[in-house]
Amino acid sequence: MVPIILVLLAAGTLMIMSHRQNDANERHENEALEQITRHAESYEDDVQNEARNGHPSEDRTRAIAQRNHSSLISYGQSAQSLTTVVEFLATYEDTSFFGTSPSRAYRCYVFRFQPDAQGGTSRTTLPLQECNST
């Protein structure tokens, strides 16, 4: 009877530890995704500030993306608008029974900047989407 109780206690302990690790991993991933959202908002603000004097060049837009922990995937400029696709990356720790390992979260944003009725620049952002890393 004692061995059965010990096995049940060990199994219960492992289940509780696994649940806690999963919760911690989800929390870490969510924190990484929040960090990506902050970087995307910062990128958007920086490009909009640059767009006050005309749309920034592809090289300038790439530099803004890199400053905001991202990579410029595509750049499309017309006389009236600028459309960019930017991939953001954040790292976080993933914990298992065998230790911790670094994991990455990738997300892509599509930004469109165009003149508004007041003579400024309006922006449109497509919903945050998952993307494959490049």
Side-chain angles (χ1 to χ4, degrees), residues 1 15 37 43 47 60 62 78 102 109 116 118 121 128 131:
M1 185 69 153
M15 287 176 54
T37 300
Y43 167 83
V47 171
R60 183 68 187 126
R62 187 176 314 283
S78 70
Y109 273 110
D116 61 15
Q118 291 80 25
T121 302
L128 185 66
C131 59

Side-chain angles (χ1 to χ4, degrees), residues 53-70:
N53 300 323
H55 297 301
S57 67
E58 184 171 356
D59 288 339
R60 183 68 187 126
T61 304
R62 187 176 314 283
I64 293 169
Q66 289 174 349
R67 188 173 63 230
N68 288 287
H69 306 280
S70 61

Side-chain angles (χ1 to χ4, degrees), residues 70-74 86-89 106 108 131-134:
S70 61
S71 300
L72 182 65
I73 303 295
S74 73
V86 182
E87 178 183 52
F88 293 86
L89 162 72
Y106 297 92
C108 285
C131 59
N132 296 327
S133 66
T134 56

Side-chain angles (χ1 to χ4, degrees), residues 2-114:
V2 172
I4 293 173
I5 292 174
L6 290 176
V7 167
L8 290 174
L9 283 174
T13 302
L14 290 174
M15 287 176 54
I16 290 169
M17 287 176 56
S18 174
H19 180 71
R20 285 185 178 174
Q21 286 175 345
N22 288 339
D23 286 349
N25 290 340
E26 286 180 25
R27 186 177 63 254
H28 292 154
E29 183 177 13
N30 287 336
E31 289 169 357
L33 294 175
E34 289 172 7
Q35 180 182 19
I36 286 174
T37 300
R38 287 190 302 274
H39 289 306
E41 290 168 351
S42 178
Y43 167 83
E44 190 175 22
D45 291 340
D46 290 352
V47 171
Q48 187 171 11
N49 287 335
E50 289 277 333
R52 290 183 182 160
N53 300 323
H55 297 301
S57 67
E58 184 171 356
D59 288 339
R60 183 68 187 126
T61 304
R62 187 176 314 283
I64 293 169
Q66 289 174 349
R67 188 173 63 230
N68 288 287
H69 306 280
S70 61
S71 300
L72 182 65
I73 303 295
S74 73
Y75 176 93
Q77 183 178 359
S78 70
Q80 295 298 316
S81 68
L82 170 65
T83 302
T84 62
V85 178
V86 182
E87 178 183 52
F88 293 86
L89 162 72
T91 59
Y92 61 97
E93 283 190 352
D94 200 12
T95 305
S96 70
F97 286 116
F98 306 107
T100 61
S101 62
S103 292
R104 294 185 174 116
Y106 297 92
R107 295 294 183 268
C108 285
Y109 273 110
V110 179
F111 300 96
R112 182 177 176 89
F113 302 92
Q114 58 193 24

